[in-house]
Amino acid sequence: MHELTTNDGVRLAYRDSGGDGVPLVMLHGWGQTQEMFRHQVEGLAAGRRVVTVDFRGHGRSGKPRHGYRVARLARDVLGLVDHLGLDAFDALGWSMGASVWWSFVDQHGTGRIRRLVLVDQPAAVAAVPWMTETEQHESGALFDVAGLLELGAALAGPDGAEAREDFVRSMFSGDTDPDLIAFVTEQIRSTPAYAGVPLLFDHCAQDWRDVLDRIDVPTLVIGCGRSHVDPASQRFIAERIPGARLHVFPASSHFPFLENPGAFNAVVEEFLS
């Protein structure tokens, strides 16, 4: 494990496998950690340099009282790739990690990204009133505004731990390995409510649809058949990113890289090679 300090004084914990080949920078989702990619750090490392990081407020990184916005996380990622001297790299983002890459592209362009992998993230999470019903469905919106406020209040309230565990459980369908649910639940405990709640609100309030057609690098969009994220929303994203590929796993959760790491690694490896 390594550390760097952001330009606003926050300590970030990251892993760097070293080695030759095009680096792959992997970003985790809201409330989770770089441990989500425990099967990819080694599984994708042959002939490649793999970098993972805990966002501020998550995992082993610092937990300041400021900066819980997707745009700030994208600036932190810029600091990471600058710190490592990565002029060209592959990028993978899962869940909110995909949104962080969209913010990165929106602010800094795609000049340093060779290939992009987006895993199970709607282009817009909140069904805001000015979106038509068709737009809400296409974008994969998960909450209406009232539902988002209700979730934030529950996570910040006295029963926040229970709300957090219920939120994790909602990302699985059917019979799931209880050890896997326990692992994901344990990781989310590292993010305090004062960090997680404002970040979740900011994350869910973003609409990245206008970024999609500006992504001009080879892109793989990965969905899951029985995730809480509608796979149709992943098809929508793939259709709007020029030349993007789509792969939908028959997964029963939001976590294909944990549920079937061998298959996940094979699909990503084939795309990046």
Side-chain angles (χ1 to χ4, degrees):
M1 190 71 70
H2 306 279
E3 293 184 356
L4 67 89
T5 301
T6 66
N7 66 345
D8 65 340
V10 179
R11 178 184 53 82
L12 297 184
Y14 70 93
R15 286 193 177 97
D16 180 0
S17 70
D20 299 323
V22 178
L24 171 62
V25 182
M26 307 179 72
L27 302 182
H28 64 78
W30 177 85
Q32 292 301 319
T33 74
Q34 61 187 304
E35 298 301 325
M36 292 290 104
F37 303 125
R38 57 183 179 171
H39 299 299
Q40 286 66 54
V41 170
E42 293 185 4
L44 294 174
R48 178 179 293 110
R49 181 180 177 184
V50 178
V51 177
T52 60
V53 63
D54 288 330
F55 291 131
R56 64 174 64 203
H58 296 68
R60 294 180 175 87
S61 287
K63 298 174 176 60
R65 292 280 177 170
H66 65 276
Y68 296 110
R69 291 172 290 277
V70 172
R72 178 64 243 191
L73 300 189
R75 179 61 182 83
D76 291 347
V77 172
L78 177 65
L80 172 65
V81 297
D82 284 348
H83 173 77
L84 295 175
L86 306 184
D87 294 326
F89 56 87
D90 293 330
L92 183 149
W94 159 68
S95 197
M96 186 186 72
S99 296
V100 174
W101 283 127
W102 285 328
S103 181
F104 185 98
V105 169
D106 191 36
Q107 298 177 75
H108 310 296
T110 59
R112 295 167 73 172
I113 298 175
R114 189 187 74 112
R115 291 178 180 261
L116 176 63
V117 181
L118 304 167
V119 184
D120 216 36
Q121 171 59 36
V125 179
V128 293
W130 52 88
M131 295 169 68
T132 67
E133 288 189 13
T134 297
E135 288 174 327
Q136 292 173 9
H137 176 72
E138 288 177 339
S139 67
L142 300 174
F143 311 102
D144 59 18
V145 175
L148 176 57
L149 294 175
E150 182 180 351
L151 175 60
L155 291 169
D159 298 321
E162 181 179 351
R164 183 174 53 205
E165 293 184 12
D166 288 344
F167 188 49
V168 168
R169 189 65 185 84
S170 73
M171 300 178 191
F172 295 87
S173 63
D175 294 329
T176 303
D177 180 354
D179 290 339
L180 180 54
I181 297 177
F183 170 72
V184 174
T185 301
E186 180 61 31
Q187 297 307 303
I188 206 172
R189 290 179 182 140
S190 71
T191 300
Y194 71 79
V197 173
L199 178 59
L200 181 66
F201 184 85
D202 180 83
H203 164 47
C204 293
Q206 305 303 318
D207 182 347
W208 301 108
R209 289 176 297 164
D210 66 336
V211 175
L212 301 180
D213 63 2
R214 294 187 281 132
I215 297 174
D216 56 359
V217 297
T219 301
L220 172 65
V221 180
I222 294 178
C224 301
R226 291 188 291 155
S227 169
H228 70 301
V229 176
D230 188 341
S233 69
Q234 304 307 285
R235 186 174 304 107
F236 170 83
I237 291 169
E239 289 172 350
R240 275 148 186 80
I241 297 175
R245 303 184 199 176
L246 173 67
H247 185 94
V248 178
F249 284 101
S252 61
S253 74
H254 187 43
F255 308 87
F257 42 84
L258 291 173
E259 191 173 337
N260 193 340
F264 181 88
N265 291 354
V267 168
V268 173
E269 181 67 50
E270 188 276 332
F271 174 71
L272 295 181
S273 62

